[in-house]
Amino acid sequence: MFREDFVWGVATSGYQVEGHTPDDGSGVCMWDVFCDEGRVPQNANTRLTVDEMHRYPQDFELMRLMGVKNYRFSLNWSRILPEGTGRVNEKGIQFYREMISCMLDNGITPYITLYHWELPEALNLRGGWMNREIVEWFGEYAKVVAENLSDLCDHFITLNEPQCSTMLGYSLGEHAPGLKVNRKETFIVAHNLLMAHGQAVINLRKYSCRPVQIGFSPTCGVAIPATDTPEDIEAAREVYFGFYGSDERWAWNVSWFVDPVIFGRYPEEGLKKFKDYLPEFKEEDMKLINQPLDFLGQNIYNGYPVHRAEDGSIEFPEMEWGYSHNDCDWPTNSESLYWGAKFTAQRYPIPLYITENGIATHDRVSADGRVHDADRIAFLDDYIGVLQQVADEGADIRGYFLWTFLDNFEWAEGYRKRFGTIYVDFQTQQRIAKDSAYWYKEVMETNGANLSVNSHPSGLIFIKPSFSHTIWGGSTLRDEFGYDEPGDDIGECWGISAHPQGDDEVLNGFYEGIRLSELWDKKKEIFGNAEGDRFPLLTKIISAKEDLSIQVHPNDEYAGIHENGSLGKMECWYILDAEPGSKLVVGHNAKTKEELADMIDNGRWNDLIRHVDIKPGDFIQIDPGTVHAICGGVTLLETQQSSDITYRLYDYDRLSNGKPRPLHLSQSKDVIMVPSPEASSMVVHDDSDEDIIRLIRCRYYEVYRIRCNGDLKAEFDRPFMLMSVVEGSGVIDSHPVKKGDHFIVPAGYGKIGMLGDMKIIASCLPGED
């Protein structure tokens, strides 16, 4: 869980939400000119945007109702200093004082960003960030802010995403001021930004009326290890802080912008790579940049995979087909926040805030008048969940600011991208709280307790089975069930198993890739907090090309004493397919222990064993101590205790790898029940027309047969259910399923909706009727 004083909030920038009025005294911002030049889609501008200038009292009340207690926002430099320096616009100061006071009245703590790209046009005309004088201009701006607002706010961020200011504004020309300068000039821009940051820190501390907390919010795409190998992890770290991008996009980099701020020096790799483009970096410049900070912000949205090749080189694998992406066509991969936060916290010894993270989605008002942004909720649940994981692993993560509260002007995209948790009709200015606003409210109120990482997901958990190759196996499990398993000796599919000899993986959802044994150990709530030090059941599909050995299983008491504390083994079989005339060995004919020993010692197997005729649909319970064997030509589903303790009586003198398989005659004599129950008491035929029937309820399990022909709803009042599709295909609660699929229905799931033509064998721990 996150620390008790974790800071939850939302973030935005002044220019994106405030709007303008003719008499507000503001100067022209370089983005005003960029918009007026028609460089934004649909000729969009911010004369109104979401009209925060006039609607902030209602919006802050809405923030309060939505549980927001911390608001990161930026000031518009040109609203405070219309020409960038000199004359202070008192109307602008009064506007921000009233706005911040309204925040405080609503219990919202302000976090002010000095610069979120709102450069006064007057300064842009004087060279903007290419002019070294901007260091003093920005320092003067910081002084005015400190003198006028520090009594109301004690948390400040100097710059937002200097990488974007450098690359998008001056290299690619995609953002204001829309320039494409030469490479050397972009390094001047970056250096001036960092010096301005340092001067702002000095002036904020010097002119504030009380101690203040100051940070800095860079950004970058995150290098994600393609696998969890140490080699790929180190490769990703190397790329994240290195210089592997194109020269044109060199500024999309972490260390060039953060190392000087934290360590007082530019990274050596960058100095060497770009030596032909670099201006002179004076010692006093570096001292100015390297001002003590209270925290580091990081804006993280997405990332890309990195792999270390066998020759030691770095490779950038293609994203997998159909990868998830947002409305900006950015990939959505929560691993980016995990590794971005982890790498950053490991490199920079300073408290870390995620100062931006969010997603643009295709939001629309539904017929019920609401905005159901499930994609945003899923995104945030994944991303914030991995952030908690980083914090749990020891990173000093202090806060998280969601981008953003209101839909607004999205820079060069105009009004085409919606990042907000509050929907805004840009024509009427109506606000509608999206589903994500209510969800994030609960996240903040519970300190993240409602995240999937802290609570079990209610979805079906599909299992990737493991396989056993045997002397008696064949190819039926591949040919008839479609399992992609090589070989012609496939005997068993361990469909749902946490046994050490076949510990299956989760195939889907939040727990994808986790072993079932780990899920049982760490997420008992999925299983209704069922007791036990190991997963209690095991579901197999067994297909015998040849006869299995004649065998018997011990009970718990015997196994616990003689098999190192193992469980015994009770099992049952549901016959899925059987060739005409097929039989099973079930029970024996000995009347006494002495007769049993004589038959075993003298190899009188025909006298000993008892065959029973079987056909598809038969169900057989095999209690511990029951002599049994599956014969060739039979395919069945076995439900059993999670144990693999088997005592072999007779193996037809077969050889495996040139040697006979070991027998366990002494143990068998100990555990075989004498006399054996009549076979008729152990074999039941499923000839019921009911959709759901219970085949057995015993000490260790219940087993059900479910038949769906069309549309079926089922609900089981049990901690969890194991289900295997053994015939046909269909859809179960939106998931297409087919013969051979195995899944777990978690605790509290409720009704299961089924469509199609299929048969399912389900099992669970025994419960009260």
Side-chain angles (χ1 to χ4, degrees):
M1 295 289 290
F2 290 101
R3 52 191 292 156
E4 291 185 5
D5 60 350
F6 193 79
V7 174
W8 295 99
V10 295
T12 193
S13 82
Y15 191 81
Q16 290 177 273
V17 298
E18 287 175 2
H20 299 279
T21 59
D23 60 350
D24 62 14
S26 296
V28 177
C29 170
M30 68 174 178
W31 272 94
D32 296 330
V33 176
F34 193 78
C35 292
D36 290 344
E37 291 175 347
R39 301 181 71 170
V40 177
Q42 299 180 295
N43 293 312
N45 60 56
T46 62
R47 291 184 180 88
L48 182 62
T49 183
V50 296
D51 197 23
E52 188 78 348
M53 277 195 71
H54 304 101
R55 298 175 185 267
Y56 69 78
Q58 296 87 356
D59 287 339
F60 293 160
E61 181 183 14
L62 182 57
M63 276 191 190
R64 176 177 59 80
L65 293 173
M66 290 292 106
V68 176
K69 298 186 183 301
N70 300 280
Y71 182 37
R72 177 189 167 226
F73 64 100
S74 70
L75 309 174
N76 188 335
W77 186 350
S78 59
R79 188 182 298 284
I80 292 175
L81 294 165
E83 287 78 37
T85 62
R87 179 177 63 87
V88 176
N89 175 25
E90 294 301 332
K91 289 183 178 180
I93 295 294
Q94 189 61 29
F95 164 68
Y96 284 124
R97 287 192 63 83
E98 292 175 356
M99 189 179 80
I100 297 170
S101 295
C102 184
M103 278 184 225
L104 296 170
D105 290 344
N106 281 276
I108 300 168
T109 299
Y111 283 69
I112 288 177
T113 302
L114 292 183
Y115 186 74
H116 197 133
W117 313 344
E118 305 98 333
L119 183 70
E121 175 64 10
L123 299 184
N124 183 47
L125 293 174
R126 296 169 66 181
W129 289 106
M130 291 191 293
N131 187 337
R132 189 181 175 93
E133 291 182 57
I134 201 168
V135 176
E136 295 304 319
W137 300 338
F138 194 63
E140 179 185 344
Y141 166 49
K143 174 178 180 291
V144 172
V145 170
E147 291 173 335
N148 288 278
L149 300 179
S150 63
D151 61 323
L152 299 175
C153 176
D154 61 358
H155 291 84
F156 292 91
I157 293 168
T158 55
L159 302 178
N160 181 79
E161 299 182 353
Q163 294 96 331
C164 292
S165 295
T166 304
M167 184 176 73
L168 300 180
Y170 287 87
S171 179
L172 302 181
E174 296 174 2
H175 279 192
L179 302 178
K180 296 182 180 180
V181 302
N182 63 47
R183 193 84 65 247
K184 184 170 185 176
E185 288 172 319
T186 63
F187 281 96
I188 292 172
V189 167
H191 191 58
N192 288 342
L193 279 160
L194 295 178
M195 286 194 295
H197 152 80
Q199 189 61 57
V201 173
I202 291 172
N203 287 2
L204 284 171
R205 297 200 191 280
K206 181 177 181 180
Y207 294 103
S208 290
C209 65
R210 55 177 172 165
V212 293
Q213 297 283 304
I214 303 175
F216 168 68
S217 289
T219 189
C220 198
V222 177
I224 302 170
T227 71
D228 60 1
T229 63
E231 293 78 11
D232 279 1
I233 292 171
E234 288 310 307
R237 189 196 312 272
E238 179 181 322
V239 170
Y240 189 48
F241 297 113
F243 296 83
Y244 284 81
S246 66
D247 284 359
E248 183 183 43
R249 303 177 68 88
W250 75 264
W252 201 235
N253 178 273
V254 175
S255 61
W256 190 264
F257 290 87
V258 185
D259 278 19
V261 170
I262 304 300
F263 302 135
R265 61 183 182 275
Y266 285 108
E268 192 64 30
E269 180 185 353
L271 292 173
K272 291 179 179 178
K273 180 173 182 177
F274 299 115
K275 63 182 187 302
D276 294 338
Y277 304 117
L278 299 180
E280 179 185 2
F281 298 138
K282 300 177 182 179
E283 183 177 352
E284 57 265 32
D285 294 353
M286 305 312 297
K287 289 181 178 179
L288 176 61
I289 294 170
N290 182 217
Q291 297 301 311
L293 288 182
D294 301 292
F295 63 91
L296 175 65
Q298 189 73 1
N299 299 351
I300 296 176
Y301 290 89
N302 59 76
Y304 51 92
V306 173
H307 173 62
R308 176 82 70 188
E310 289 187 5
D311 63 3
S313 63
I314 298 290
E315 295 180 345
F316 298 90
E318 291 288 333
M319 301 289 287
E320 61 186 18
W321 292 355
Y323 68 87
S324 176
H325 58 87
N326 68 9
D327 193 24
C328 295
D329 205 27
W330 302 344
T332 56
N333 36 26
S334 58
E335 300 95 332
S336 61
L337 186 53
Y338 175 83
W339 289 107
K342 191 176 187 72
F343 288 155
T344 301
Q346 289 173 341
R347 185 178 180 94
Y348 303 113
I350 185 171
L352 178 64
Y353 287 73
I354 299 304
T355 40
E356 282 187 30
N357 172 248
I359 182 174
T361 59
H362 292 283
D363 298 332
R364 60 185 294 273
V365 180
S366 298
D368 61 3
R370 301 177 64 182
V371 179
H372 303 296
D373 56 337
D375 284 349
R376 179 169 289 106
I377 293 173
F379 173 96
L380 295 173
D381 186 49
D382 286 347
Y383 273 66
I384 302 174
V386 301
L387 184 65
Q388 179 187 299
Q389 185 179 347
V390 178
D392 289 343
E393 292 169 357
D396 189 4
I397 311 294
R398 299 292 181 90
Y400 173 90
F401 289 87
L402 185 153
W403 187 274
T404 180
F405 189 63
L406 299 170
D407 290 337
N408 56 51
F409 175 78
E410 184 49 39
W411 303 110
E413 295 288 350
Y415 295 96
R416 301 189 302 177
K417 310 299 180 186
R418 295 181 178 270
F419 277 88
T421 60
I422 306 297
Y423 182 91
V424 178
D425 183 321
F426 296 120
Q427 280 66 53
T428 67
Q429 292 299 317
Q430 179 189 14
R431 272 74 160 147
I432 300 174
K434 304 175 188 179
D435 289 353
S436 61
Y438 293 95
W439 177 86
Y440 188 53
K441 177 177 183 289
E442 186 177 355
V443 172
M444 294 184 285
E445 289 173 345
T446 65
N447 204 30
N450 67 318
L451 297 169
S452 292
V453 72
N454 297 318
S455 61
H456 67 276
S458 60
L460 302 178
I461 301 172
F462 284 82
I463 301 297
K464 179 182 179 181
S466 51
F467 296 89
S468 175
H469 293 254
T470 65
I471 194 171
W472 43 263
S475 61
T476 297
L477 290 174
R478 179 177 61 249
D479 300 340
E480 297 297 326
F481 287 82
Y483 294 126
D484 185 17
E485 181 71 10
D488 292 326
D489 59 350
I490 314 166
E492 298 178 336
C493 165
W494 293 35
I496 303 177
S497 168
H499 192 276
Q501 294 184 23
D503 196 358
D504 295 343
E505 287 185 11
V506 176
L507 266 176
N508 68 310
F510 187 81
Y511 301 113
E512 181 179 353
I514 294 178
R515 297 287 180 182
L516 185 53
S517 61
E518 181 181 356
L519 200 63
W520 172 262
D521 289 339
K522 296 183 178 180
K523 293 293 179 180
K524 281 288 182 66
E525 62 272 19
I526 292 176
F527 308 99
N529 293 306
E531 296 180 354
D533 62 352
R534 69 201 82 182
F535 192 73
L537 300 178
L538 197 161
T539 298
K540 294 179 181 178
I541 298 178
I542 301 174
S543 184
K545 182 179 180 181
E546 306 291 342
D547 293 351
L548 276 68
S549 62
I550 298 170
Q551 56 193 245
V552 65
H553 304 306
N555 60 23
D556 285 350
E557 291 73 21
Y558 189 92
I561 295 170
H562 298 279
E563 301 293 347
N564 298 316
S566 173
L567 295 176
K569 187 174 178 183
M570 179 180 286
E571 65 190 33
C572 59
W573 301 334
Y574 188 93
I575 308 302
L576 303 178
D577 193 19
E579 296 175 1
S582 292
K583 299 179 183 295
L584 298 175
V585 174
V586 181
H588 63 86
N589 296 313
K591 300 296 188 294
T592 66
K593 281 282 189 179
E594 292 75 17
E595 185 178 14
L596 173 72
D598 179 73
M599 289 179 173
I600 293 174
D601 292 342
N602 292 292
R604 295 167 53 200
W605 306 115
N606 290 333
D607 295 334
L608 175 67
I609 62 175
R610 178 193 299 160
H611 285 96
V612 296
D613 296 325
I614 51 102
K615 57 184 178 298
D618 282 349
F619 177 81
I620 303 97
Q621 169 72 2
I622 305 293
D623 289 330
T626 301
V627 175
H628 62 277
I630 301 169
C631 299
V634 175
T635 300
L636 57 82
L637 183 135
E638 177 176 283
T639 302
Q640 61 164 87
Q641 289 178 267
S642 185
S643 170
D644 201 38
I645 301 298
T646 297
Y647 297 145
R648 194 177 295 116
L649 269 171
Y650 179 56
D651 198 32
Y652 313 102
D653 300 321
R654 285 184 295 208
L655 300 180
S656 176
N657 297 320
K659 298 179 181 180
R661 296 197 295 172
L663 303 179
H664 313 91
L665 302 184
S666 176
Q667 298 96 321
S668 297
K669 293 174 186 178
D670 286 345
V671 303
I672 291 174
M673 290 188 296
V674 180
S676 178
E678 291 297 322
S680 59
S681 67
M682 293 183 280
V683 181
V684 178
H685 185 67
D686 172 19
D687 56 5
S688 173
D689 293 330
E690 294 183 28
D691 294 330
I692 302 173
I693 61 169
R694 186 165 66 189
L695 297 166
I696 193 170
R697 177 184 175 194
C698 66
R699 176 182 175 186
Y700 297 106
Y701 48 72
E702 297 178 12
V703 179
Y704 295 81
R705 188 270 295 144
I706 303 170
R707 183 181 291 117
C708 175
N709 297 114
D711 190 347
L712 178 65
K713 296 288 190 296
E715 186 169 11
F716 297 88
D717 185 20
R718 295 293 182 264
F720 62 97
M721 299 291 295
L722 312 184
M723 294 196 175
S724 299
V725 182
V726 296
E727 188 178 298
S729 61
V731 176
I732 300 182
D733 287 341
S734 304
H735 295 277
V737 295
K738 65 184 184 308
K739 179 179 177 180
D741 286 345
H742 306 269
F743 58 93
I744 298 172
V745 181
Y749 186 85
K751 286 188 177 180
I752 307 165
M754 306 181 188
L755 292 171
D757 185 2
M758 56 188 165
K759 182 189 290 186
I760 293 172
I761 303 299
S763 59
C764 61
L765 297 177
E768 299 292 334
D769 282 332

Short mmCIF file of all heavy atoms in Angstrom, two decimals, residues 508-535:
data_model
loop_
_atom_site.label_atom_id
_atom_site.label_comp_id
_atom_site.label_asym_id
_atom_site.label_seq_id
_atom_site.Cartn_x
_atom_site.Cartn_y
_atom_site.Cartn_z
N ASN A 508 -4.33 -14.95 -18.50
CA ASN A 508 -4.96 -13.69 -18.88
C ASN A 508 -5.04 -12.75 -17.69
O ASN A 508 -4.85 -13.13 -16.54
CB ASN A 508 -6.38 -13.94 -19.40
CG ASN A 508 -7.31 -14.41 -18.29
OD1 ASN A 508 -6.98 -15.34 -17.55
ND2 ASN A 508 -8.47 -13.79 -18.16
N GLY A 509 -5.35 -11.50 -18.01
CA GLY A 509 -5.72 -10.54 -16.98
C GLY A 509 -4.57 -10.07 -16.12
O GLY A 509 -3.39 -10.16 -16.46
N PHE A 510 -4.93 -9.55 -14.97
CA PHE A 510 -3.98 -8.90 -14.07
C PHE A 510 -2.87 -9.85 -13.62
O PHE A 510 -1.74 -9.44 -13.40
CB PHE A 510 -4.73 -8.36 -12.85
CG PHE A 510 -3.89 -7.52 -11.94
CD1 PHE A 510 -3.64 -6.20 -12.24
CD2 PHE A 510 -3.34 -8.06 -10.80
CE1 PHE A 510 -2.85 -5.42 -11.41
CE2 PHE A 510 -2.55 -7.29 -9.95
CZ PHE A 510 -2.31 -5.96 -10.26
N TYR A 511 -3.19 -11.13 -13.48
CA TYR A 511 -2.22 -12.09 -12.95
C TYR A 511 -1.56 -12.93 -14.04
O TYR A 511 -0.98 -13.98 -13.76
CB TYR A 511 -2.91 -13.01 -11.94
CG TYR A 511 -3.51 -12.25 -10.78
CD1 TYR A 511 -4.90 -12.19 -10.61
CD2 TYR A 511 -2.71 -11.57 -9.88
CE1 TYR A 511 -5.45 -11.48 -9.56
CE2 TYR A 511 -3.25 -10.85 -8.83
CZ TYR A 511 -4.62 -10.82 -8.67
OH TYR A 511 -5.16 -10.11 -7.63
N GLU A 512 -1.61 -12.47 -15.26
CA GLU A 512 -1.03 -13.21 -16.38
C GLU A 512 0.43 -13.55 -16.10
O GLU A 512 1.22 -12.70 -15.68
CB GLU A 512 -1.13 -12.39 -17.66
CG GLU A 512 -0.56 -13.08 -18.89
CD GLU A 512 -0.68 -12.25 -20.15
OE1 GLU A 512 -1.34 -11.19 -20.10
OE2 GLU A 512 -0.14 -12.67 -21.18
N GLY A 513 0.78 -14.82 -16.33
CA GLY A 513 2.16 -15.26 -16.16
C GLY A 513 2.50 -15.76 -14.76
O GLY A 513 3.55 -16.34 -14.55
N ILE A 514 1.61 -15.52 -13.79
CA ILE A 514 1.86 -15.96 -12.42
C ILE A 514 1.51 -17.44 -12.29
O ILE A 514 0.50 -17.90 -12.84
CB ILE A 514 1.03 -15.11 -11.43
CG1 ILE A 514 1.54 -13.67 -11.45
CG2 ILE A 514 1.11 -15.68 -10.02
CD1 ILE A 514 0.76 -12.75 -10.54
N ARG A 515 2.31 -18.18 -11.56
CA ARG A 515 2.03 -19.58 -11.30
C ARG A 515 0.86 -19.70 -10.34
O ARG A 515 0.67 -18.87 -9.45
CB ARG A 515 3.26 -20.27 -10.70
CG ARG A 515 4.47 -20.30 -11.61
CD ARG A 515 4.30 -21.30 -12.74
NE ARG A 515 5.48 -21.32 -13.61
CZ ARG A 515 5.57 -22.06 -14.69
NH1 ARG A 515 4.56 -22.84 -15.05
NH2 ARG A 515 6.66 -22.03 -15.44
N LEU A 516 0.08 -20.75 -10.52
CA LEU A 516 -1.10 -20.94 -9.68
C LEU A 516 -0.72 -21.10 -8.21
O LEU A 516 -1.44 -20.64 -7.32
CB LEU A 516 -1.90 -22.15 -10.18
CG LEU A 516 -3.24 -22.41 -9.49
CD1 LEU A 516 -4.13 -21.18 -9.51
CD2 LEU A 516 -3.94 -23.58 -10.16
N SER A 517 0.41 -21.75 -7.93
CA SER A 517 0.84 -21.90 -6.53
C SER A 517 1.10 -20.54 -5.89
O SER A 517 0.75 -20.30 -4.73
CB SER A 517 2.09 -22.77 -6.46
OG SER A 517 3.16 -22.17 -7.17
N GLU A 518 1.69 -19.62 -6.65
CA GLU A 518 1.96 -18.28 -6.12
C GLU A 518 0.66 -17.51 -5.91
O GLU A 518 0.50 -16.79 -4.92
CB GLU A 518 2.88 -17.51 -7.08
CG GLU A 518 3.23 -16.12 -6.60
CD GLU A 518 4.12 -15.35 -7.57
OE1 GLU A 518 4.53 -15.95 -8.59
OE2 GLU A 518 4.39 -14.17 -7.31
N LEU A 519 -0.27 -17.68 -6.84
CA LEU A 519 -1.56 -17.01 -6.69
C LEU A 519 -2.27 -17.51 -5.43
O LEU A 519 -2.86 -16.72 -4.69
CB LEU A 519 -2.42 -17.29 -7.94
CG LEU A 519 -3.58 -16.34 -8.21
CD1 LEU A 519 -3.07 -14.93 -8.47
CD2 LEU A 519 -4.40 -16.82 -9.39
N TRP A 520 -2.20 -18.79 -5.18
CA TRP A 520 -2.81 -19.37 -3.98
C TRP A 520 -2.15 -18.82 -2.72
O TRP A 520 -2.81 -18.46 -1.75
CB TRP A 520 -2.70 -20.89 -4.02
CG TRP A 520 -3.11 -21.57 -2.76
CD1 TRP A 520 -2.30 -22.01 -1.75
CD2 TRP A 520 -4.45 -21.90 -2.35
NE1 TRP A 520 -3.03 -22.58 -0.76
CE2 TRP A 520 -4.36 -22.53 -1.10
CE3 TRP A 520 -5.69 -21.72 -2.93
CZ2 TRP A 520 -5.47 -22.99 -0.40
CZ3 TRP A 520 -6.82 -22.18 -2.24
CH2 TRP A 520 -6.70 -22.79 -1.00
N ASP A 521 -0.83 -18.71 -2.74
CA ASP A 521 -0.11 -18.24 -1.55
C ASP A 521 -0.33 -16.77 -1.26
O ASP A 521 -0.47 -16.38 -0.10
CB ASP A 521 1.40 -18.49 -1.73
CG ASP A 521 1.78 -19.96 -1.67
OD1 ASP A 521 0.98 -20.75 -1.11
OD2 ASP A 521 2.85 -20.33 -2.19
N LYS A 522 -0.39 -15.94 -2.34
CA LYS A 522 -0.37 -14.49 -2.14
C LYS A 522 -1.73 -13.83 -2.28
O LYS A 522 -1.90 -12.69 -1.83
CB LYS A 522 0.61 -13.85 -3.13
CG LYS A 522 2.05 -14.26 -2.91
CD LYS A 522 2.99 -13.55 -3.87
CE LYS A 522 4.44 -13.93 -3.60
NZ LYS A 522 5.38 -13.25 -4.54
N LYS A 523 -2.68 -14.51 -2.91
CA LYS A 523 -3.98 -13.88 -3.16
C LYS A 523 -5.10 -14.82 -2.73
O LYS A 523 -5.96 -15.21 -3.53
CB LYS A 523 -4.11 -13.53 -4.66
CG LYS A 523 -3.16 -12.44 -5.12
CD LYS A 523 -3.49 -11.10 -4.49
CE LYS A 523 -2.53 -10.02 -4.93
NZ LYS A 523 -2.85 -8.71 -4.30
N LYS A 524 -5.10 -15.18 -1.46
CA LYS A 524 -6.08 -16.13 -0.95
C LYS A 524 -7.51 -15.62 -1.14
O LYS A 524 -8.46 -16.41 -1.20
CB LYS A 524 -5.82 -16.42 0.52
CG LYS A 524 -4.68 -17.41 0.78
CD LYS A 524 -5.11 -18.82 0.39
CE LYS A 524 -4.03 -19.86 0.67
NZ LYS A 524 -3.72 -20.04 2.08
N GLU A 525 -7.69 -14.30 -1.21
CA GLU A 525 -9.04 -13.76 -1.37
C GLU A 525 -9.69 -14.21 -2.67
O GLU A 525 -10.91 -14.30 -2.78
CB GLU A 525 -9.04 -12.23 -1.28
CG GLU A 525 -8.24 -11.51 -2.34
CD GLU A 525 -6.78 -11.30 -1.99
OE1 GLU A 525 -6.27 -12.01 -1.08
OE2 GLU A 525 -6.14 -10.46 -2.63
N ILE A 526 -8.88 -14.49 -3.69
CA ILE A 526 -9.42 -15.01 -4.95
C ILE A 526 -10.14 -16.33 -4.71
O ILE A 526 -11.13 -16.65 -5.38
CB ILE A 526 -8.29 -15.19 -5.98
CG1 ILE A 526 -7.75 -13.83 -6.42
CG2 ILE A 526 -8.77 -15.99 -7.19
CD1 ILE A 526 -6.58 -13.93 -7.36
N PHE A 527 -9.65 -17.06 -3.74
CA PHE A 527 -10.18 -18.39 -3.44
C PHE A 527 -11.05 -18.38 -2.18
O PHE A 527 -11.20 -19.40 -1.50
CB PHE A 527 -9.03 -19.37 -3.30
CG PHE A 527 -8.08 -19.35 -4.48
CD1 PHE A 527 -6.89 -18.65 -4.43
CD2 PHE A 527 -8.42 -19.99 -5.67
CE1 PHE A 527 -6.03 -18.60 -5.51
CE2 PHE A 527 -7.57 -19.94 -6.77
CZ PHE A 527 -6.37 -19.25 -6.69
N GLY A 528 -11.62 -17.21 -1.88
CA GLY A 528 -12.51 -17.10 -0.73
C GLY A 528 -11.80 -17.32 0.58
O GLY A 528 -12.42 -17.73 1.57
N ASN A 529 -10.47 -17.03 0.61
CA ASN A 529 -9.67 -17.24 1.81
C ASN A 529 -9.76 -18.67 2.34
O ASN A 529 -9.78 -18.92 3.55
CB ASN A 529 -10.05 -16.24 2.90
CG ASN A 529 -9.69 -14.81 2.51
OD1 ASN A 529 -8.55 -14.52 2.17
ND2 ASN A 529 -10.67 -13.92 2.53
N ALA A 530 -9.84 -19.60 1.40
CA ALA A 530 -9.87 -21.02 1.78
C ALA A 530 -8.59 -21.39 2.51
O ALA A 530 -7.51 -20.86 2.23
CB ALA A 530 -10.04 -21.88 0.53
N GLU A 531 -8.72 -22.30 3.45
CA GLU A 531 -7.58 -22.69 4.27
C GLU A 531 -6.72 -23.72 3.54
O GLU A 531 -7.17 -24.38 2.60
CB GLU A 531 -8.07 -23.24 5.60
CG GLU A 531 -8.81 -22.22 6.46
CD GLU A 531 -9.27 -22.82 7.77
OE1 GLU A 531 -9.11 -24.04 7.95
OE2 GLU A 531 -9.81 -22.06 8.61
N GLY A 532 -5.50 -23.85 4.00
CA GLY A 532 -4.61 -24.85 3.44
C GLY A 532 -3.29 -24.26 3.01
O GLY A 532 -3.23 -23.12 2.53
N ASP A 533 -2.21 -25.04 3.19
CA ASP A 533 -0.88 -24.55 2.82
C ASP A 533 -0.54 -24.83 1.36
O ASP A 533 0.54 -24.48 0.92
CB ASP A 533 0.18 -25.18 3.73
CG ASP A 533 0.23 -26.70 3.60
OD1 ASP A 533 -0.65 -27.27 2.93
OD2 ASP A 533 1.15 -27.30 4.18
N ARG A 534 -1.48 -25.45 0.63
CA ARG A 534 -1.25 -25.71 -0.80
C ARG A 534 -2.60 -25.72 -1.51
O ARG A 534 -3.64 -25.97 -0.89
CB ARG A 534 -0.51 -27.03 -1.00
CG ARG A 534 -1.32 -28.26 -0.65
CD ARG A 534 -0.47 -29.47 -0.37
NE ARG A 534 0.03 -29.46 0.99
CZ ARG A 534 0.85 -30.40 1.49
NH1 ARG A 534 1.26 -31.40 0.72
NH2 ARG A 534 1.26 -30.33 2.73
N PHE A 535 -2.55 -25.45 -2.80
CA PHE A 535 -3.78 -25.49 -3.59
C PHE A 535 -4.37 -26.90 -3.49
O PHE A 535 -3.67 -27.89 -3.75
CB PHE A 535 -3.46 -25.14 -5.04
CG PHE A 535 -4.69 -24.89 -5.88
CD1 PHE A 535 -5.42 -23.73 -5.73
CD2 PHE A 535 -5.10 -25.82 -6.83
CE1 PHE A 535 -6.54 -23.49 -6.50
CE2 PHE A 535 -6.22 -25.59 -7.61
CZ PHE A 535 -6.95 -24.41 -7.44
#
